[in-house]
Amino acid sequence: MFGRANRSARGRHVRLHYQDARFAADYARAYRSGPSERYFASRLYAIAETLRSFPSGELLDVGCGPGMMVHHLLGADGGEFRITACDQSAAMIDLAARGLRDDDKVRLHVADIDELPFPRDSFDIVLAMGVLEYVDVDRALGEIARVTKPGGFVVITMLNPLSPYRLFEWGVFWPARRLLGRIEGLSGVPEERRHRADKSGIHALPAFRLVGRMRESGLRPHDVVFYDITAFVPPFDRLIRPWSYRWRYAPERTVSRRARRWLGTGYLVVAQFPTGARVPEPTQRPAVSVEAD
């Protein structure tokens, strides 16, 4: 009961946070600059390379955010996707709509992954990029499987809670910033100058757990790719990355399926919804996950 209530409270917190137009704009800027730029660039590369195997079809981008993947696909050579994109935040959808032409034929919706407003068997490819960390995973996977056509494919990304980077970031770095902020408060440092770290609401599953949940939802996972391969942990990565641009010119070095995969701060899973499969009803259970501070 506590787990379900906790997920519900987290969902409400995330919804309110993402509705703020200022936060949405800051999130969009993080794709182009700042400490998260390498992560986003590596994720975009990993997804784009994966989608090369699917040259055309009806594609749904669930939790599309400010539309970075939508605009990338429209500007990419090759695939002829007919794109539908949705996000629970109207502010994010407003950002995604910027720069679209009337002839781009992209459909944008304000919609929640828990209750997608699309008929069963609607899409050849469903992409859920950085969204399952914030929602009830089983319910979201049930909705994703429902709208995927038999024989269609699903691509899901998630932060890797077992990477050295995430373990240090969530277990040491953010708690240390909060502790420092409290000490600064007791010392009389003005609030605007104190260190802080807001709770993110993120719950991340290890890859083997997500693969298992996807199987229970009727999907057949067949590939796992780890991205943003890095040996640095915060705050050292923030000191080093501004001086290191090799990843910009060789993004393939930031992804791995082999020995270096444990260094990936995120991963993606590719799965197929088999022909003739029946989508099971979503189950309610406590989440087995790692919570980010």
Side-chain angles (χ1 to χ4, degrees), residues 175-220:
R177 283 185 64 94
R178 292 192 192 96
L179 177 60
L180 180 57
R182 287 194 289 270
I183 293 173
E184 289 170 338
L186 293 173
S187 302
V189 176
E191 185 173 357
E192 65 273 11
R193 294 177 56 191
R194 297 177 202 166
H195 289 79
R196 57 180 298 174
D198 296 331
K199 292 281 186 177
S200 65
I202 290 173
H203 278 212
L205 295 173
F208 71 93
R209 296 260 182 217
L210 180 57
V211 166
R213 297 288 185 87
M214 293 172 74
R215 288 197 180 107
E216 292 175 9
S217 297
L219 299 167
R220 289 182 182 171

